[in-house]
Amino acid sequence: MASRTGRVTATDVAKEAGVSQTTVSYVLNDVPHQKISDQTRRKVLDAVAKLGYKPSAAARALRLGRSDLVLMFLPDVPVGGTITALVEMLGDELERHGLNLVTRREHHAPLKSLWRELMPAAVMTAFEVSDEDVASMRAAGIHVVSAGMGPDAAPGVLTIPQTVIGAMQVERLADTGHVRIGYAAPGDPRLRDFLALRLEGARTACAERGLEPPVLLDVPLDIAAAAAAAEQWHSAVPAVTGVCAYNDETAFALLAGMRRVGLSAPGDLAVIGVDNDKLAPFAMPPLTTIDNNLDVVVGRAARMIVSGVTGRALPSSPQVTPVSLVVRESA
Amino acid sequence: MASRTGRVTATDVAKEAGVSQTTVSYVLNDVPHQKISDQTRRKVLDAVAKLGYKPSAAARALRLGRSDLVLMFLPDVPVGGTITALVEMLGDELERHGLNLVTRREHHAPLKSLWRELMPAAVMTAFEVSDEDVASMRAAGIHVVSAGMGPDAAPGVLTIPQTVIGAMQVERLADTGHVRIGYAAPGDPRLRDFLALRLEGARTACAERGLEPPVLLDVPLDIAAAAAAAEQWHSAVPAVTGVCAYNDETAFALLAGMRRVGLSAPGDLAVIGVDNDKLAPFAMPPLTTIDNNLDVVVGRAARMIVSGVTGRALPSSPQVTPVSLVVRESA
DNA sequence: TTGTAGGCGTTATCAG
DNA sequence: CTGATAACGCCTACAA
C-alpha cells in the first residue's frame, strides 16, 4: 500500500476504495458542483479512516500557493502575561479551523523574508508594520489583520484601544473622589508606545472632568525607586491621591514601595492597575484594575482571520470595547 | 521574470544569473562535493539578492519529506507563566536555526493526526505521550524530544526534575530552623501530576532530615479558603511553621489569607513558592521562591532539537539541575 | 563544473 | 459522475 516513503497518500486511499484519486480529492474537499454518489463517498471515507490518511500540508501548500500557517508578529517588548495569553488563546482558536499559528518577534526575522518563505494563509501584525509590507502581502494574496492600539477602527484592523484603558482608570479615580491624579510609567523604554496612548487617554479623561493633567512619574520595578515616587506624589501640593499604574506589575511595585514608607492604599494613595493579573486579587490590598478581556479580543481576531482566509463574511461583531473595570480594594 | 504566480523561483534566479537551476540549488545549499567556481557562486548570490528570492518552504518540505516545523505538545493544564515563557523562549531560539515552532494542546489535536500532516522536523512532547506514538514518529524519521518531570535521565529526554523543587523548598525551611513542614497544594486537579512529584520530593527531603512528612492542605486561589488553611497549620500541635507552596500563585493566595487572619510571614508561618514570578519581589513580604531557570532549560531543549535535526552531535551539556533558590523575606 | 530530467503529494482542467 | 494528466517549486542522481 504505502509507497516506499511510508506515507499514506491519496492514491493509496483511491486504490483501497477502488476509485480514482481524483474522486478522493473531490470527496475530501467537498467540491461543490460535483455530484458524488453517497455510496462512493462512503467507500472513500471508509478507506480514509482505515488507512489513517492525512493529506500532506506541504503538497497542499505547494499546489494551492498558500499554507495553513498563520504568522503572527509580536512587538519586541517584554511581553507581559497579557500578550502571551493572547497568543496562547489565539493558537487554540485558530486550530479549530485547521490553521496553525507561528509567532515571531519583529526584530528577529525581517518579516518579508519569512512570509515569502512560508506562504501563510494570513498574517497578523501586532502594532507596527510598514504599509508597504502590508501592501505586498496583500498583493501576494495573504490576508492581513493588523492590531491597532489607537482609537481608529479602520477595516481589517483589530482595535485594542489603549486610550480607553487610561481613560477608564482616571474615571474610576475621579468617581471615587480623587481630584489630583498621578500616572505611574514603567521603566522599560520599549513600552513607550503603549504608554503614550494610555497616558493620552488618561489626559483626555482628566481634561473632560476639569482635572489637572496626571502627574507622571517613572516607577521602575524596584521597591526603593517605587517608594520614592510614592512619597513624591504624596507630598506634592496639592497632593496626588490616586495613581493610574501602567500595568499590574507597576502597580505591585508601587504598592510595595508605599508599604516601605508607611503609605497605605487607598487611604494615602489609591492605585489602579491594568491587566487583571492572576495575582491581582492577592495584592495588599487587593488590586483594582482594568481587564483587557482577552477572550473577546481573541475571538474577534480569530474571526477576522478565519473569515478572511475562508472568504466568508464575518458575522457582524458588536465592536464593543472589551475593556472593563475590576473593582477590588486598592482604588 | 517571476512566473505568472508572482513568486520568484529558483528558476528565475538561474535565468537572471545565467546558469542552470541546479547550480542555484547547489550554491544555496552549500552542497559538499560540488566545486562551484567563485565567480558562478557570486553571480548566483547576486541574483538571489537582486530578486529577493526566498525558497518555498512548502516545496522544500514536499521534496525532503520533512518541513522546518517543530511541533510542541503542551500538557493540558492551566499553563502558568512558566510554560508560556518557555514556549516563547524556545520559539526564539529555534528560529535562529531556521526552525518554526508550532504549539498545540494535547487534548485538541490527537497528535498523530497532526504530525502526519505537518511532517515536522522534530516533535517536542511535554510530559505525556504514549511510547507507541513516539515509536511511530521516530520510524517516520521525526526527531522526538520528550520533557520528563521525574528524576530519570533517559537519553533524548529533557529532564525537568520536579522532585528537586520540592526537596529544595524543604531544605530551605529546615535550614532556617523549621521542623514541622506544611505543603500547600493547588486546587486545580489538572496539576496533580506535577503536584505528586513535587510533593514526593518534599517528603523525601523531610525523611532525610528526620522530619515528619509535610502536612498537606489544599490552598485554592481564594483568600477565605487560604486563610482557613493557614489557621489550620498554625493551630496544629505541634504547629506547622513553614509551608512549601505548589507555586507562587498559591503562595500569594496563602500570604493573602494569612493577612486576613492576622498571621505574618515568616514569623507565624514561613512561605516558600515556586516559579520566581515577576511579582514575587513585590509580595508582602517579598516571596522566597524556587527559580526554574528556564533559560537554561530552553537552551538545552533547543540544543537537543537542533542537534537532532541537523544530525550533529550535541555539545556535551553539563546536565546540572537548573533549579535554584531565590531567598527574599517570606522564608 | 554544469545541465537534464524525474518525482515528492495535491489540486484542477479536461475529456470520457 | 469518474479517470488521466499537468503543474506547484525544489532537490538530486545521472549525464555531459
Side-chain angles (χ1 to χ4, degrees), chain A residues 47-218:
Chain A
V48 165
K50 178 176 174 190
L51 266 38
Y53 166 76
K54 294 291 164 197
S56 149
R60 199 200 204 72
L62 180 57
R63 176 64 233 230
L64 262 29
R66 67 162 48 180
S67 68
D68 58 358
L69 262 29
V70 172
L71 209 49
M72 177 165 188
F73 284 92
L74 299 173
D76 181 25
V77 300
V79 278
T82 315
I83 293 195
T84 26
L86 187 148
V87 170
E88 198 80 16
M89 296 176 69
L90 188 58
D92 278 11
E93 190 58 33
L94 289 179
E95 159 187 356
R96 291 203 186 87
H97 300 272
L99 265 16
N100 291 103
L101 184 64
V102 173
T103 63
R104 191 99 326 169
R105 296 281 177 70
E106 272 168 9
H107 68 294
H108 286 325
L111 186 137
K112 41 192 171 174
S113 90
L114 201 56
W115 71 258
R116 281 183 203 284
E117 214 171 301
L118 259 29
M119 319 180 89
V123 167
M124 166 135 196
T125 66
F127 312 124
E128 281 184 11
V129 166
S130 82
D131 290 347
E132 179 191 5
D133 279 339
V134 171
S136 48
M137 289 195 223
R138 293 234 163 89
I142 297 176
H143 192 249
V144 180
V145 173
S146 334
M149 305 189 282
D152 55 336
V157 173
L158 179 73
T159 299
I160 304 178
Q162 299 296 313
T163 51
V164 174
I165 292 174
M168 218 171 222
Q169 289 180 301
V170 167
E171 273 156 28
R172 167 63 185 174
L173 292 176
D175 285 350
T176 51
H178 298 274
V179 177
R180 195 83 177 106
I181 309 290
Y183 195 99
D188 198 314
R190 288 172 296 183
L191 296 173
R192 73 183 141 68
D193 289 342
F194 287 87
L195 172 61
L197 286 164
R198 292 184 185 180
L199 188 52
E200 182 195 319
R203 281 213 181 92
T204 306
C206 280
E208 282 172 357
R209 301 241 174 181
L211 305 180
E212 293 291 307
V215 179
L216 181 68
L217 288 181
D218 263 10

Side-chain angles (χ1 to χ4, degrees), chain B residues 13-303:
Chain B
V13 174
K15 262 184 241 159
E16 173 76 23
V19 301
S20 90
Q21 190 270 343
T22 307
T23 308
V24 173
S25 185
Y26 282 162
V27 171
L28 263 40
N29 297 355
D30 263 335
V31 176
H33 299 285
Q34 293 288 347
K35 289 157 196 167
I36 309 273
S37 70
D38 277 2
Q39 187 189 351
T40 305
R41 176 185 307 278
R42 173 129 232 129
K43 278 194 297 187
V44 171
L45 293 176
D46 283 351
V48 165
K50 178 177 173 190
L51 267 38
Y53 166 76
K54 295 291 166 195
S56 148
R60 199 199 204 73
L62 181 56
R63 177 64 234 247
L64 298 181
R66 67 161 50 179
S67 69
D68 58 359
L69 263 28
V70 172
L71 209 50
M72 178 165 186
F73 284 91
L74 298 174
D76 180 25
V77 300
V79 278
T82 316
I83 293 194
T84 24
L86 188 149
V87 169
E88 199 79 17
M89 296 177 70
L90 188 58
D92 279 10
E93 189 60 34
L94 289 178
E95 162 187 353
R96 293 205 185 84
H97 299 273
L99 266 16
N100 291 102
L101 183 64
V102 173
T103 63
R104 192 100 324 172
R105 296 283 178 69
E106 272 168 10
H107 67 295
H108 285 327
L111 187 136
K112 42 194 172 174
S113 92
L114 200 56
W115 72 257
R116 281 185 204 284
E117 213 171 302
L118 260 28
M119 319 176 87
V123 167
M124 168 135 194
T125 65
F127 314 123
E128 280 183 11
V129 166
S130 82
D131 290 347
E132 180 192 3
D133 279 339
V134 172
S136 47
M137 290 194 226
R138 292 233 163 91
I142 297 175
H143 191 249
V144 180
V145 173
S146 337
M149 307 189 283
D152 55 338
V157 173
L158 179 73
T159 299
I160 304 178
Q162 301 295 315
T163 51
V164 173
I165 292 174
M168 217 171 222
Q169 289 180 301
V170 167
E171 274 157 26
R172 167 63 183 173
L173 293 175
D175 286 350
T176 51
H178 298 275
V179 177
R180 195 82 177 107
I181 310 290
Y183 195 99
D188 198 314
R190 289 172 296 181
L191 295 173
R192 72 184 141 67
D193 289 343
F194 288 88
L195 171 62
L197 285 164
R198 292 184 185 179
L199 188 53
E200 182 195 318
R203 282 213 180 93
T204 307
C206 281
E208 282 172 357
R209 301 241 174 180
L211 306 180
E212 292 291 308
V215 179
L216 181 66
L217 287 181
D218 263 10
V219 175
L221 301 178
D222 170 90
I223 297 188
E231 285 197 310
Q232 196 172 334
W233 274 314
H234 186 64
S235 61
V237 280
V240 167
T241 60
V243 173
C244 310
Y246 170 77
N247 61 11
D248 285 353
E249 206 176 344
T250 299
F252 264 78
L254 178 56
L255 288 173
M258 287 168 60
R259 282 196 294 272
R260 172 164 302 185
V261 294
L263 259 27
S264 75
D268 298 313
L269 206 55
V271 176
I272 179 169
V274 178
D275 277 351
N276 198 16
D277 191 286
K278 279 271 160 53
L279 298 181
F282 309 123
M284 164 155 176
L287 186 64
T288 292
T289 186
I290 306 291
D291 193 324
N292 281 110
N293 290 113
L294 280 190
D295 46 351
V296 177
V297 176
V298 166
R300 230 176 252 176
R303 269 197 301 279

Side-chain angles (χ1 to χ4, degrees), chain A residues 19-20 22 34-35 40 62-63:
Chain A
V19 302
S20 93
T22 306
Q34 293 288 345
K35 289 158 196 165
T40 306
L62 180 57
R63 176 64 233 230

